[in-house]
Amino acid sequence: MASCGDSDGNRIVAGAVVSRQPLILRDLSPFEKEYFLYQKNLERDNAAPFGAEFYFKKGSVAERNWKQQEAERSANSSSTSSKSSASKSSSASASTAGSTEGEAAEEESTEEDRVAAMEAKIEFNERITEADRTNDVRSLERALQRTLYLIVKKPREQHAWQFPQGGVRVCENLQEAAGRELQEECGGNMDLWFVGRVPIGHYNYSLPKNFVTESSVAAKGTKVFFMKAHIFAGQVQVDNKEIVDFAWVTKQEMKDYVSKDYYAVIKDMLSDF
C-alpha cells in the first residue's frame, strides 16, 4: 500500500501518544500540606459555633466521638492558649457525661456501635504496588500517581525506542493511520480512545540513504504527526517483527529510553504528573 507524502518530498507518518492516566491522587508536597492545614484551621476559627445538641443525641456514641474529635483537632491546631484550655474542658466534660450516662447511652446506640465497628475494619490499599517494587515497566499497575506513556522498541541499535508510528496510506487520515499502526505493532488487545483528530505535535527528521533506496517511496525525510490517545483496559502484545519490546514510562523516565533530539521534541506534549 502506497504511503502519503507532502510537496517537499517528505513521507507523512502518524504516531500514537498512548497514555494511562493517574489512578490515584498524587501525594501533596510539604508546602501544599502546610497550606491546606492553614486553610482548614482558618476556616474552623472563623466558622459559626456548631450546635452539637441539635445534631447528636445527648449521651450517644456519636456525640462522644464528635467531642473526642473536637478535642484532638483543638490539641493539634496552633490556636491560642485560651482555645486549647477550652478544648481540654470540653474533653473533660465529655468524659464526665459519658461516665454518668453510660448504660442508657449504650442501650440506645447499638446501631451506632455496629457502624463504628464496621468503619474500624476498613483497610486501605497500598499506594506502592508490587510492580513498583520490582520496577516492572511493562505493567500498567505501577506509578499509580503518575501518567504513563507507551513507548516501543524497534529491532535496531540507534533510535530504537519511540512512540508507535507508521506511514499514512492514501485516503487515510492521521487518526485512522495511528489506530491501524497500533493494532499492527501492539496487537488488538487494548481498549483505546483517541482524544481528537488533530495532532498534538510533530517531528521532522531526515531518512538514511539505505532507507530511501529500500522503500517504495523516494522521500527526503519524514514528518511524524502525533495523535493523543488514552488506554482504558488491555495490554500490549508485540509482534516481534516491527516491535521487539515495550514499556510504560513517565515523562521523567522517558529520557532514559529515547534519544535527546526525540525527547526535546516530545517533552512539551507530556504531563509532568
Side-chain angles (χ1 to χ4, degrees):
M1 183 70 70
S3 299
C4 295
D6 62 3
S7 58
D8 297 329
N10 292 309
R11 180 168 172 258
I12 303 300
V13 171
V17 182
V18 182
S19 64
R20 188 226 65 191
Q21 297 300 295
L23 301 181
I24 59 176
L25 295 176
R26 65 179 179 87
D27 292 330
L28 297 178
S29 65
F31 174 80
E32 290 172 328
K33 290 180 180 179
E34 292 297 326
Y35 173 79
F36 287 119
L37 179 60
Y38 171 76
Q39 290 291 332
K40 181 179 179 181
N41 293 336
L42 187 64
E43 181 180 359
R44 177 173 293 276
D45 291 341
N46 296 330
F50 179 70
E53 65 280 355
F54 178 80
Y55 293 95
F56 302 116
K57 187 175 181 179
K58 188 175 182 180
S60 64
V61 175
E63 184 192 35
R64 293 201 301 272
N65 290 340
W66 179 81
K67 289 183 177 180
Q68 183 179 0
Q69 293 172 3
E70 280 294 294
E72 293 175 355
R73 279 192 286 262
S74 299
N76 294 330
S77 64
S78 56
S79 305
T80 60
S81 59
S82 59
K83 291 184 179 180
S84 62
S85 62
S87 66
K88 292 179 181 178
S89 62
S90 64
S91 61
S93 62
S95 60
T96 305
S99 60
T100 55
E101 303 176 3
E103 295 182 358
E106 291 297 332
E107 294 178 358
E108 296 175 356
S109 58
T110 307
E111 183 64 25
E112 294 176 355
D113 287 337
R114 284 200 292 265
V115 173
M118 291 175 61
E119 292 178 348
K121 294 180 180 178
I122 296 177
E123 295 182 1
F124 296 96
N125 292 331
E126 295 184 10
R127 299 173 68 86
I128 304 299
T129 65
E130 186 63 27
D132 288 315
R133 298 186 184 94
T134 59
N135 195 27
D136 184 6
V137 294
R138 292 186 176 185
S139 174
L140 284 165
E141 301 298 326
R142 61 180 292 268
L144 302 182
Q145 306 178 45
R146 305 291 303 280
T147 301
L148 295 181
Y149 296 95
L150 171 64
I151 54 175
V152 295
K153 185 178 182 181
K154 299 280 188 177
R156 59 194 182 203
E157 294 183 2
Q158 295 183 343
H159 307 286
W161 288 95
Q162 62 182 27
F163 291 127
Q165 67 179 47
V168 179
R169 296 174 180 175
V170 178
C171 300
E172 189 178 45
N173 61 42
L174 293 173
Q175 180 181 335
E176 292 171 345
R180 174 181 52 79
E181 285 296 330
L182 274 172
Q183 186 159 2
E184 291 177 359
E185 297 181 354
C186 304
N189 192 32
M190 289 191 294
D191 183 10
L192 299 172
W193 173 62
F194 280 91
V195 177
R197 295 179 178 270
V198 180
I200 60 174
H202 73 282
Y203 175 46
N204 298 344
Y205 63 91
S206 301
L207 294 172
K209 294 182 179 179
N210 60 343
F211 183 89
V212 176
T213 56
E214 293 173 2
S215 175
S216 59
V217 179
K220 297 180 181 179
T222 297
K223 285 185 177 180
V224 184
F225 294 91
F226 297 104
M227 307 299 293
K228 186 177 182 180
H230 296 322
I231 182 173
F232 297 122
Q235 184 56 284
V236 177
Q237 295 176 335
V238 296
D239 58 4
N240 289 320
K241 295 178 182 179
E242 293 186 66
I243 302 300
V244 295
D245 201 0
F246 72 94
W248 292 96
V249 296
T250 64
K251 177 181 179 178
Q252 287 70 24
E253 295 170 339
M254 186 83 66
K255 294 185 289 187
D256 299 331
Y257 290 84
V258 302
S259 64
K260 292 183 179 179
D261 294 338
Y262 193 81
Y263 182 77
V265 173
I266 66 173
K267 62 182 179 65
D268 291 332
M269 298 186 298
L270 310 180
S271 171
D272 292 323
F273 303 105

